[in-house]
Amino acid sequence: MTIFRSLRHYNYRLFFTGQSISLVGTWMQRVAVSWLVYRLTGSAFLLGLITFLSLIPSLVLAPYAGSYVDRHNKFKILIITQIILMLQAGALALMIWFKYYDMFWIAGLSLVQGLVNAFDVTARQSLMVNLVEDKEDLPNAIALNSSVFNAARLVGPALAGVILSTLGEDICFLINFVSFIAVLVCLLMMKLNLQAVQKSTENIWVDLRKGYEYLRSSPDLASMIIMMAASSLLVIPFTTLLPVFAKDIFNGTATTFGWFESAAGFGAFFGAIYMATLKKRNNMQKIIIFSALLLAVSVIALAISPSLILALFCTGLAALGLMAQTSSINTYLQTHADDAMRGRTLSYYIMAYQGVLPIGSLLMGYFAHQFGTQTVVAFEGVAGLLIVVAYIYNEKNRHSVKRNRVHFAN
């Protein structure tokens, strides 16, 4: 089938299999951590703080990680990061198993996860181009990778909701620990023919500056990264507040929170399937605009939803828009960035997405505590609409300037 065409590549098939198993455990842990923190503290601010700590290293380290990955064997980096993330999940499981509910250590382990992810995500994204021999299949591979991520987001939280209500958070952490075995086995079975990395003799900070200058000279790439950063700061943090919707606004339990996360996974999964059916020639910029609009409108609808069913539906639509937006930006960057600059370009994308998100989560968690969750989420949706308008205006202005330069040159 066309939608699964990238699975004909042996290395990508192994990667896809390992990720399919491990990501279910990852989502179970994410839900368990969020529920544990809110159950123990009842604080939307602390909920945002934990998300902040797990993602803030991407803001600080992503550009450095991009240069580091470009200089070293990305496959070996991925093996090491997966082992460390496995140990982090095991440490969480042991803490909760012995009922050691210490927010300091929970926050510390979340920070460790964020530090490792800064390198793990960059290495994983940069390796993608080496997993498919036919580069025409790269957009499909990226979309399928997103689909398995969001399929896990559908299954993981649903399982977590049941396990949290019956067995406890520690079992979720233990399952995540065990799931990393699948990734490591699949990675070690790969037959990669990576070219020897020619290490730069220049200081790594010089490489960082080159990445920044490359983006300055590529306004189409830069504008997408800026749009991603604005969305991560002002719109996407609505996901951090879903436990508040589940527990306080709709008077639910851990199972209700699992429904919200699964609804988001369901919508994002369909968004990923749609992206996987696209061909390389499709206009990614139009998809970015329409998906960002869908995200913004759905977030506003979530904020004013009078019933749980409608709120779950709006959460699914918002996740569909978010999935299509992030996947289309990722695909555009991977297919338009120069080979020598791909790692650094993707590192800025990761910084804009995962790095700025914790700042947004912290801010929105604080504002939700001050002004109410529904008011803040409605503001996030309105901000999303303004971001789309700004992006469209910038693109039209850029193309107008480009046409004028061509006209004067002739």
Side-chain angles (χ1 to χ4, degrees):
M1 292 176 64
T2 304
I3 192 172
F4 297 114
R5 61 185 180 275
S6 54
L7 290 180
R8 61 193 174 91
H9 303 285
Y10 173 78
N11 290 322
Y12 181 76
R13 192 161 59 247
L14 283 171
F15 180 83
F16 183 88
T17 302
Q19 290 292 298
S20 299
I21 299 170
S22 179
L23 283 170
V24 172
T26 298
W27 274 107
M28 291 180 71
Q29 175 166 307
R30 288 189 183 189
V31 171
V33 168
S34 294
W35 185 256
L36 176 67
V37 170
Y38 197 64
R39 178 175 67 82
L40 294 176
T41 67
S43 171
F45 174 72
L46 284 177
L47 196 60
L49 177 63
I50 295 299
T51 303
F52 174 85
L53 291 172
S54 67
L55 295 174
I56 189 60
S58 293
L59 177 63
V60 180
L61 293 177
Y64 176 85
S67 296
Y68 186 87
V69 168
D70 281 340
R71 286 167 170 248
H72 296 83
N73 187 313
K74 59 195 74 172
F75 179 75
K76 290 181 179 179
I77 294 173
L78 191 57
I79 291 284
I80 293 169
T81 56
Q82 291 294 302
I83 292 173
I84 297 174
L85 289 172
M86 182 181 182
L87 295 175
Q88 186 262 0
L92 271 174
L94 285 174
M95 274 182 56
I96 309 306
W97 179 270
F98 290 109
K99 300 188 184 304
Y100 186 67
Y101 299 121
D102 191 308
M103 290 303 299
F104 175 80
W105 285 106
I106 293 173
L109 287 170
S110 295
L111 181 61
V112 169
Q113 182 186 37
L115 290 168
V116 177
N117 273 336
F119 293 87
D120 178 79
V121 177
T122 305
R124 194 154 15 105
Q125 295 283 356
S126 299
L127 187 66
M128 192 74 66
V129 72
N130 302 111
L131 299 179
V132 291
E133 289 80 17
D134 186 352
K135 302 314 172 196
E136 289 291 319
D137 290 338
L138 181 59
N140 177 258
I142 295 169
L144 275 185
N145 191 51
S146 297
S147 70
V148 73
F149 177 86
N150 289 291
R153 187 176 184 179
L154 173 63
V155 176
L159 288 175
V162 174
I163 292 173
L164 286 172
S165 300
T166 55
L167 301 175
E169 294 94 350
D170 52 337
I171 302 302
C172 290
F173 301 143
L174 180 61
I175 291 173
N176 187 38
F177 172 82
V178 173
S179 72
F180 277 103
I181 296 174
V183 177
L184 291 171
V185 170
C186 288
L187 286 174
L188 294 174
M189 287 175 63
M190 286 183 181
K191 300 175 182 177
L192 287 173
N193 185 24
L194 295 177
Q195 294 182 349
V197 179
Q198 295 182 349
K199 293 186 179 180
S200 174
T201 57
E202 296 180 319
N203 187 288
I204 196 166
W205 300 108
V206 174
D207 274 356
L208 281 175
R209 191 179 72 246
K210 286 181 178 179
Y212 173 75
E213 290 172 351
Y214 172 71
L215 285 177
R216 285 194 63 183
S217 66
S218 308
D220 58 325
L221 305 183
S223 62
M224 290 186 182
I225 291 174
I226 292 171
M227 183 188 193
M228 193 74 259
S231 294
S232 296
L233 181 66
L234 299 173
V235 187
I236 304 175
F238 85 92
T239 57
T240 304
L241 299 171
L242 290 179
V244 184
F245 275 89
K247 188 172 185 292
D248 293 342
I249 296 174
F250 294 106
N251 302 312
T253 63
T255 302
T256 312
F257 178 39
W259 291 347
F260 270 98
E261 288 290 352
S262 293
F266 195 68
F269 177 70
F270 276 100
I273 293 297
Y274 167 71
M275 293 300 298
T277 61
L278 297 178
K279 296 181 180 178
K280 190 176 180 180
R281 297 183 182 86
N282 281 83
N283 192 331
M284 287 294 167
Q285 290 178 316
K286 287 184 179 179
I287 296 173
I288 290 168
I289 292 171
F290 285 117
S291 59
L293 284 172
L294 176 61
L295 170 62
V297 172
S298 299
V299 168
I300 294 173
L302 169 64
I304 61 177
S305 294
S307 69
L308 176 60
I309 296 298
L310 185 58
L312 292 172
F313 179 72
C314 292
T315 301
L317 284 180
L320 193 158
L322 174 58
M323 168 64 242
Q325 181 190 29
T326 55
S327 181
S328 53
I329 291 176
N330 188 344
T331 300
Y332 188 93
L333 295 177
Q334 290 220 39
T335 53
H336 287 76
D338 291 343
D339 288 344
M341 291 291 177
R342 183 174 290 109
R344 274 161 281 190
T345 300
L346 289 173
S347 71
Y348 277 98
Y349 163 77
I350 293 164
M351 179 177 69
Y353 184 16
Q354 295 190 356
V356 176
L357 180 57
I359 297 176
S361 296
L362 193 63
L363 283 174
M364 296 307 156
Y366 173 76
F367 289 141
H369 182 72
Q370 295 293 321
F371 305 109
T373 298
Q374 289 169 293
T375 300
V376 170
V377 171
F379 163 79
E380 292 182 77
V382 172
L385 293 176
L386 296 176
I387 290 169
V388 175
V389 171
Y391 176 79
I392 294 172
Y393 174 80
N394 178 71
E395 286 301 293
K396 286 186 176 180
N397 187 56
R398 183 170 66 84
H399 287 299
S400 177
V401 171
K402 187 176 180 180
R403 283 195 300 269
N404 288 337
R405 285 177 178 173
V406 172
H407 174 74
F408 286 123
N410 292 334

